[in-house]
Amino acid sequence: MLGTVLAGNRGDGDRPALVLHLHPVTAMRFKAAAVALALLTTTAGCTDKPDAAPDKVAYATGFGAVGRDAFIWVARDKGYFAEARIEVDIQKGTGNVPNLTMLKANEAQFAAMDFAGAELLAGQRKFTDWRAVAAIHQQTLVSIMTTADTGITKPTDLKGRTVATATGSVSEVLFPAYAKLAGLDPASVTIQGTQPTALNGLMAQRRVDAISTFLLSRKALETTSKKSVTVLPYSDYLKNLYGNVIVTQAGLIGSDRDLVQRFTTAAPKGLRYTLDHPQEAAEILNRAEPTAAIPAAVGEIEAMKPYAEPLGRLDQKRVTDGLAELQAGGLSADQVADFSFCSGTPTAGCS
């Protein structure tokens, strides 16, 4: 039995009021249901935030607007960031030091950069307040590239030759370690520093014997030189180094972990779509940045396919072994990466 209904005075006239006296057990059940409903309503509001304004963040690309960075425009165009309640201002980055400077100054909250180069900078204690949260390339994409007419087919063929590379780039910084592991005395090679945009022209004109740059540029060098190109990847010897990664401010992980998780879910979705639809991804990039030529972007996206899986994954042992290869100032893996976002447990973005 639910309870007893009694008539009582309401205090505003002679009309009686109905008072429901519930059975004690029934009353407890009603109270429990009311509490559960209140908790459900509160929890749903905190987790889903259907009416919450999107978080606004700035993201710096690895370098300019090229195929390897197209995925971030794709993630925005396809609505993956909108689904994650994030509004992204995409800035064209200009390399590790400028991108790390942007993070330090809070001009960007996320950025792409070459992981090995950033690790070396952290080892020198120049930039330390950052952490990698997702991988873009599972191996370093730095390489030696040369046209077939030079006769260079292996690292030891570089002895006595001139190699051009971007001044201060990770290609230049990593060359001594690569050369030693490949059985080549790095002092026997002349390194010529130059602007990144000048590399293909120098090689095409045979003003140098080889260039050190990202292997994704192979198609562009073939187009410029009108010759077949030989590629000697650094990853043949530096096996534990990642290529580009997504990094964020260490402080942001502590202050707004949910934002970082949402970002590292949305961005790899854009990478997945880009790898599966290179032509469309290149067209999306070109619409946003008309100077990004579609054929070149498609070439880079196609070239990076073998190096992107497993999507987003950062492995703690590989990072530790990579730091040992770099001899990066005694750093530990957790000083350069947070493995709780893309460590191998599948999420909506990382695989």
Side-chain angles (χ1 to χ4, degrees), residues 131-152:
R131 297 292 184 273
V133 290
I136 300 170
H137 307 133
Q138 291 291 322
Q139 292 180 328
T140 178
L141 301 187
V142 177
S143 68
I144 298 293
M145 289 201 295
T146 184
T147 50
D149 57 339
T150 64
I152 297 171

Side-chain angles (χ1 to χ4, degrees), residues 274-298:
T274 297
L275 297 172
D276 292 343
H277 306 88
Q279 180 69 31
E280 184 183 353
E283 291 169 358
I284 290 171
L285 172 63
N286 177 261
R287 286 199 299 271
E289 297 288 340
T291 58
I294 292 176
V298 170

Side-chain angles (χ1 to χ4, degrees), residues 46-312:
C46 291
T47 303
D48 297 333
K49 297 180 182 177
D51 300 321
D55 290 297
K56 296 183 179 182
V57 302
Y59 174 92
T61 65
F63 195 92
V66 291
R68 75 197 73 159
D69 284 305
F71 73 92
I72 205 72
W73 278 278
V74 171
R76 187 175 69 179
D77 184 85
K78 291 296 176 182
Y80 301 144
F81 283 120
E83 290 172 3
R85 303 191 321 277
I86 299 174
E87 184 178 315
V88 181
D89 175 22
I90 302 173
Q91 301 288 323
K92 288 180 283 187
T94 53
N96 278 14
V97 171
N99 283 7
L100 286 167
T101 301
M102 290 179 69
L103 287 176
K104 187 174 182 179
N106 201 35
E107 294 172 357
Q109 291 71 49
F110 297 89
M113 61 188 65
D114 183 88
F115 196 20
E119 289 172 316
L120 289 169
L121 289 167
Q124 298 164 11
R125 304 300 186 265
K126 292 184 178 179
F127 294 93
T128 58
D129 190 27
W130 60 271
R131 297 292 184 273
V133 290
I136 300 170
H137 307 133
Q138 291 291 322
Q139 292 180 328
T140 178
L141 301 187
V142 177
S143 68
I144 298 293
M145 289 201 295
T146 184
T147 50
D149 57 339
T150 64
I152 297 171
T153 60
K154 56 186 183 298
T156 51
D157 293 336
L158 294 170
K159 182 178 180 179
R161 305 290 192 110
T162 298
V163 177
T165 187
T167 303
S169 67
V170 67
S171 304
E172 181 178 6
V173 171
L174 290 181
F175 181 77
Y178 162 75
K180 289 175 183 176
L181 289 172
L184 172 69
D185 180 3
S188 69
V189 181
T190 300
I191 299 297
Q192 179 177 319
T194 188
Q195 293 295 317
T197 53
L199 291 172
N200 287 345
L202 289 172
M203 187 70 248
Q205 297 165 27
R206 284 298 307 274
R207 292 168 59 186
V208 295
D209 300 298
I211 59 177
S212 182
T213 185
F214 290 100
L215 60 82
L216 300 183
S217 302
R218 176 177 186 164
K219 183 69 174 179
L221 179 57
E222 288 176 340
T223 301
T224 302
S225 66
K226 296 180 174 58
K227 299 174 185 177
S228 61
V229 171
T230 299
V231 179
L232 306 175
Y234 279 27
S235 60
D236 286 347
Y237 298 93
L238 295 167
K239 297 182 180 296
N240 292 299
L241 301 186
Y242 285 87
N244 278 9
V245 294
I246 295 174
V247 307
T248 190
Q249 302 158 327
L252 186 59
I253 296 175
S255 65
D256 199 343
R257 183 177 189 80
D258 176 65
L259 171 59
V260 179
Q261 182 65 75
R262 284 183 281 125
F263 193 96
T264 55
T265 297
K269 284 184 179 181
L271 181 56
R272 172 83 282 151
Y273 194 93
T274 297
L275 297 172
D276 292 343
H277 306 88
Q279 180 69 31
E280 184 183 353
E283 291 169 358
I284 290 171
L285 172 63
N286 177 261
R287 286 199 299 271
E289 297 288 340
T291 58
I294 292 176
V298 170
E300 283 207 2
I301 295 166
E302 293 284 2
M304 69 187 275
K305 282 184 177 181
Y307 304 96
E309 305 286 356
L311 211 67

Side-chain angles (χ1 to χ4, degrees), residues 288-336:
E289 297 288 340
T291 58
I294 292 176
V298 170
E300 283 207 2
I301 295 166
E302 293 284 2
M304 69 187 275
K305 282 184 177 181
Y307 304 96
E309 305 286 356
L311 211 67
R313 177 84 62 84
L314 281 172
D315 179 81
Q316 189 164 5
K317 185 180 184 304
R318 277 196 62 204
V319 172
T320 299
D321 292 344
L323 287 168
E325 288 178 350
L326 293 173
Q327 299 179 5
L331 291 173
S332 62
D334 61 3
Q335 288 178 292
V336 293

